[in-house]
Amino acid sequence: MTVTIIRENAIAVVTVDNPPVNALSQTLRQALVDAVAELDADAAVRAVVLICAGRTFIAGADVSEFGKPPQPPHLPDVVASIESAKKPWVAAIHGSALGGGLEVALGCAYRVAVPSASLGLPEVKLGIIPGAGGTVRLPRLIAPAAAVDLVTSGNPVGAKKAVALGLIDAVIDGDLRSGAIAFANDVAEKPLPQPISRRAVPLVDAGFWENAEKAVAAKAKREAAPLKALASIRNASETNFADAMAFERETFLELRGSSQAAALRHVFFAERAAPRPPELTGVAPRGIRSAAVIGGGTMGAGIAAALRDACLPVVLVERDTAAVERGLANIHAIYEGSVKRGRMMQAVADERMAGVIGGDDYGLLADTDLVIEAVFEDLSVKRAVFAKLSDICRSDAVLATNTSYLDPRLIGEGLAQPERFLGLHFFSPAHVMKLLEIVPTETTAPEVLATGFALARLLGKVPVRAGICDGFIGNRIVKVTRAQAERLLLSGATPSAVDAAMRAFGLPMGPFEAQDLGGLDIAAFQRKAARTRGETPFAPVAERLCAIERYGQKSGGGWYDYQSGDRTPKPSETVVAIIAEVAAGRPQRAWDEMSITDAIILPMVNEATRILEERVALRSADIDLVKIHGYGFPRWRGGPMHYAEARGLAEVVAVLDRLAAEGLAEPPCEGLRRPAERRHAISPS
Ligand code: 3HC
Ligand code: NAI
């Protein structure tokens, strides 16, 4: 870490260089305080430019210090010392000014930024609130409604919007350093502006805070930080600066030590580690400048849109001309939807569509860098596709299958240059869902695997390497979840009680609602395949529902009844009767919310641990990312593995043992038992 000071006539340029993102470590905080003192004492200096080296302005507090006791100088004091400097400090922003970085900029007398800069207070995404004046200075600088928006959403704004809000004073086109120095020379002539801390918060309309509270609570659900952030802004508008700062700091420190913050920090670092697995260090990916998708159904269309969103030219190959038209229409419908929802300009949608060429001639693929197959989930259909690709594509083109359950080794069998083949498992809708399971076979070359990870980065997806097994990581765990959900029904719980408990836990939907939405027929098809492999999948009630064609919402009923045109699930007497028949003779018990949650989540953890033991997943945090980004597991719980660790593995094992004794779950695997016993042995009693 270095902070250098260079004098450019009467302007001092303070450059922060603390790679990778200029986070505010203790040494940087100290260096900034020292710089204020040094420049205050230098009579030749009339104004100061605070600028950063590398790819960004200060991106915030150093999150890796959050688990440790705070070390002085504390950030609020650093910001206060910049704000009380005798000369005007000008924050010159490029990249991102986030969290503590923006708070430092709010301490400066002025803020300027390049057009591509973004500014925000993302603390709520880490389970905390701004801790160095963000909630107190911001409403004193910009309209309280805008401050509420920025702080409680955690979403950044671009430079253009920042000027409109009054968050920054100018946008600098061209070289930031010289532009900021010119700006500093101008303001050096003027009296110092009133520090933000001494400004008043503008009055708000009656009912403003109550309405904001309702809106924030509805979005935050069970996340604590957004409402606490709102409370801090409200307090800041109703009390004096010093008291407001004390209130903010107290809330910040309380949340910093909370379990939600620990979970969100875990996810933050897991997401940043995911794109760069250590086993691929130094392996260069192949270049991807063009892509193709085979099959333009649900997945193919979504994958094509994801590739176009990353500006890759896309070829879509279908079975015949009619199917090509349907496939193109599917992609068009995705963009039309984005335009209708106001998320995309029509011109952008048109440009995206113009970059897709459709056809039924595999010859279109002769020079494509990456081909992703998304045809029917049928081994012989997929093998026939790869036989053609093998003949037509360049020998260094990367060839991928999006299969959900088939063994990629069988799909790619017989392929010329098998080292270029791998599984790329997208999640539906593929242009929205962030997860990408990357499934190498034994023959996949390291650079082809690295290409999968590079593609994920290009598409803005979270990549997780998965080994080959039925369902890879995510869907294999889903099978256990569904079996557990049925075990609950057979021992006294109802579908609506199970779904309600899982929603209360933080999932967007319970297992039965989710099956009704996706369709029960898909899982029935997979169970059939499993039985032909000699397996005995457990879904006695689902089998009965499929036998009477209750496939879910699409057939007017599944686990629930649905009235036509209404997606609201209604408890079904038919289902109650079937459950009673299947459950006859089984012991019944009472299920409360917590015990339902345990009977679903802890077997999930058990299966996930087996997945780790088998090295189908390489890191426990990868499993957390799969469940969060593929299945809506609440981020603030950190994923199932983090949840189990936080709960205590000894307790997880004890609950699983109790469930197993009642025949309500598999017993805990050795991979769970061993660390639980080890930790139990070393923890002080
Ligand atoms: N603290 C510590 N490390 C950080 C960090 C932070 N605030 N932000 C990023 N890093 C690390 C990452 O872990 C990663 O490390 P690695 O190379 O060892 O894996 C490295 O910096 C690069 O990060 P990215 O891969 O995310 O880099 P990008 O260029 O893609 O993105 C960024 C840059 C937009 C700045 C992004 O890193 C980001 O959003 N960072 C988080 C910003 C944030 O949340 N700030 C608020 C912190 S809380 C706070 O300030 C509290 C205050 O109010 C008191
Ligand atoms: P779909 O039935 O919606 O689409 C399949 C498309 O492939 C159809 O448009 C069909 O015309 C086309 N097709 C069939 N044979 C072809 C051939 N020989 N050449 C070119 N096109 C051909 O199926 P969906 O849901 O898109 O699934 C595709 C693949 O993605 C499957 O392997 C599936 O398991 C997998 N998958 C599906 C997910 C989902 O949620 N639907 C999630 C993740 C993976």
Side-chain angles (χ1 to χ4, degrees):
M1 193 288 298
T2 57
V3 169
T4 47
I5 304 178
I6 291 175
R7 271 86 171 163
E8 298 264 351
N9 302 317
I11 307 301
V13 180
V14 176
T15 306
V16 170
D17 189 2
N18 188 21
V21 295
N22 295 312
L24 286 153
S25 60
Q26 189 276 337
T27 34
L28 173 53
R29 297 197 298 274
Q30 185 61 57
L32 287 172
V33 172
D34 294 346
V36 174
E38 180 184 330
L39 297 172
D40 270 0
D42 187 339
V45 170
R46 308 219 23 230
V48 181
V49 168
L50 173 63
I51 197 163
C52 290
R55 61 188 196 252
T56 181
F57 190 74
I58 300 167
D62 188 338
V63 179
S64 62
E65 285 183 358
F66 278 9
K68 306 167 195 158
Q71 295 294 324
H74 302 301
L75 195 52
D77 301 329
V78 178
V79 177
S81 83
I82 295 174
E83 191 180 55
S84 56
K86 293 182 189 143
K87 337 268 163 88
W89 277 53
V90 179
I93 298 166
H94 76 293
S96 308
L98 298 176
L102 181 56
E103 290 171 307
V104 165
L106 292 175
C108 294
Y110 300 97
R111 288 150 294 284
V112 299
V114 294
S116 59
S118 68
L119 301 92
L121 291 167
E123 282 85 345
V124 292
K125 296 188 176 179
L126 290 164
I128 54 175
I129 68 163
T135 66
V136 184
R137 283 194 179 83
L138 204 59
R140 287 172 159 77
L141 180 67
I142 64 176
V148 166
D149 225 32
L150 218 64
V151 178
T152 62
S153 74
N155 295 330
V157 292
K160 202 169 149 200
K161 174 119 190 251
V163 178
L165 291 174
L167 185 55
I168 62 174
D169 302 286
V171 173
I172 305 274
D173 292 309
D175 181 57
L176 177 63
R177 189 174 187 275
S178 41
I181 291 174
F183 185 95
N185 267 313
D186 272 359
V187 296
E189 305 300 322
K190 299 179 184 161
L192 271 172
Q194 185 185 38
I196 297 175
S197 60
R198 295 215 206 112
R199 300 181 201 173
V201 178
L203 287 175
V204 294
D205 295 337
F208 171 82
W209 296 111
E210 290 71 19
N211 291 337
E213 199 171 301
K214 271 188 219 136
V216 172
K219 265 204 191 138
K221 305 211 168 75
R222 291 186 57 196
E223 275 189 64
L227 273 177
K228 294 267 188 185
L230 179 68
S232 190
I233 303 175
R234 179 175 188 173
N235 183 65
S237 75
E238 291 171 350
T239 183
N240 66 57
F241 180 78
D243 288 349
M245 287 297 288
F247 181 86
E248 179 195 76
R249 189 74 182 164
E250 195 185 318
T251 312
F252 165 77
L253 290 174
E254 173 201 316
L255 287 177
R256 211 178 83 142
S258 69
S259 57
Q260 291 196 2
L264 288 163
R265 272 201 302 279
H266 162 75
V267 180
F268 174 87
F269 284 116
E271 282 171 350
R272 267 143 193 95
R276 292 183 292 269
E279 58 277 14
L280 287 177
T281 306
V283 181
R286 291 185 181 172
I288 301 290
R289 282 168 301 275
S290 60
V293 180
I294 317 293
T298 311
M299 290 307 288
I303 295 168
L307 293 165
R308 281 299 299 134
D309 291 347
C311 297
L312 287 171
V314 171
V315 174
L316 175 73
V317 172
E318 260 288 357
R319 293 181 283 177
D320 49 46
T321 41
V324 172
E325 290 312 312
R326 276 199 306 276
L328 290 174
N330 288 341
I331 305 174
H332 187 256
I334 290 174
Y335 287 124
E336 207 173 41
S338 299
V339 172
K340 261 196 199 132
R341 271 178 243 113
R343 296 207 186 120
M344 188 179 275
M345 308 273 284
Q346 186 63 51
V348 177
D350 293 345
E351 183 266 330
R352 299 275 158 91
M353 259 334 275
V356 185
I357 295 173
D360 58 358
D361 172 10
Y362 279 68
L364 291 167
L365 309 175
D367 195 31
T368 306
D369 293 332
L370 164 73
V371 182
I372 302 173
E373 166 275 311
V375 303
F376 299 139
E377 185 76 340
D378 179 306
L379 185 58
S380 58
V381 176
K382 286 190 191 287
R383 286 176 68 123
V385 167
F386 279 97
K388 283 190 203 155
L389 296 178
S390 187
D391 286 345
I392 282 162
C393 294
R394 268 192 353 247
S395 60
D396 64 340
V398 172
L399 307 181
T401 175
N402 180 49
T403 184
S404 311
Y405 287 93
L406 297 173
D407 185 336
R409 288 169 298 203
L410 300 178
I411 296 174
E413 212 170 49
L415 196 67
Q417 292 91 29
E419 69 280 359
R420 59 182 163 158
F421 173 77
L422 81 171
L424 289 177
H425 186 217
F426 289 78
F427 287 71
S428 182
H431 59 296
V432 175
M433 296 298 284
K434 289 271 176 238
L435 179 62
L436 179 64
E437 284 182 330
I438 301 182
V439 192
T441 68
E442 288 85 357
T443 54
T444 304
E447 73 268 20
V448 171
L449 182 56
T451 309
F453 280 84
L455 177 75
R457 272 201 297 281
L458 190 67
L459 305 188
K461 306 262 181 229
V462 177
V464 170
R465 177 184 178 150
I468 297 174
C469 65
D470 193 37
F472 309 127
I473 299 174
N475 285 343
R476 176 168 158 182
I477 296 176
V478 166
K479 276 195 296 179
V480 171
T481 314
R482 289 199 179 141
Q484 282 308 115
E486 289 215 24
R487 286 201 173 96
L488 281 161
L489 298 187
L490 301 187
S491 57
T494 61
S496 37
V498 173
D499 283 342
M502 297 319 294
R503 264 186 276 110
F505 180 77
L507 282 147
M509 240 183 253
F512 297 113
E513 296 163 303
Q515 287 179 63
D516 273 1
L517 185 65
L520 275 70
D521 46 337
I522 300 169
F525 180 73
Q526 285 147 13
R527 287 195 297 274
K528 199 169 151 200
R531 277 194 290 273
T532 61
R533 293 195 300 267
E535 295 167 24
T536 48
F538 179 79
V541 184
E543 291 293 3
R544 291 279 305 268
L545 298 182
C546 288
I548 53 169
E549 297 184 351
R550 287 187 68 100
Y551 294 130
Q553 289 188 17
K554 61 181 166 192
S555 66
W559 290 102
Y560 297 96
D561 288 339
Y562 298 90
Q563 268 143 27
S564 129
D566 184 0
R567 286 163 175 244
T568 320
K570 303 264 175 359
S572 159
E573 283 177 19
T574 313
V575 173
V576 170
I578 291 174
I579 293 170
E581 274 177 47
V582 181
R586 288 178 184 251
Q588 301 290 295
R589 54 166 279 190
W591 288 98
D592 60 16
E593 205 171 275
M594 182 71 188
S595 52
I596 290 175
T597 307
D598 278 355
I600 301 266
I601 301 292
L602 302 189
M604 191 190 260
V605 171
N606 200 20
E607 186 67 9
T609 308
R610 283 202 194 96
I611 285 173
L612 268 180
E613 284 190 304
E614 293 167 22
R615 296 190 55 76
V616 166
L618 298 187
R619 284 167 282 272
S620 123
D622 281 352
I623 296 177
D624 289 333
L625 293 179
V626 165
K627 294 313 291 180
I628 290 168
H629 289 292
Y631 302 86
F633 197 95
R635 197 181 166 83
W636 54 270
R637 294 227 189 240
M641 304 307 270
H642 178 88
Y643 173 76
E645 282 283 342
R647 178 99 178 255
L649 294 187
E651 190 184 330
V652 170
V653 165
V655 176
L656 281 170
D657 271 333
R658 280 201 298 276
L659 285 167
E662 289 183 67
L664 292 171
E666 297 282 321
C669 65
E670 277 308 301
L672 258 184
R673 236 185 245 291
R674 269 192 316 269
E677 279 164 9
R678 224 173 17 244
R679 266 171 243 184
H680 193 65
I682 55 173
S683 67
S685 52

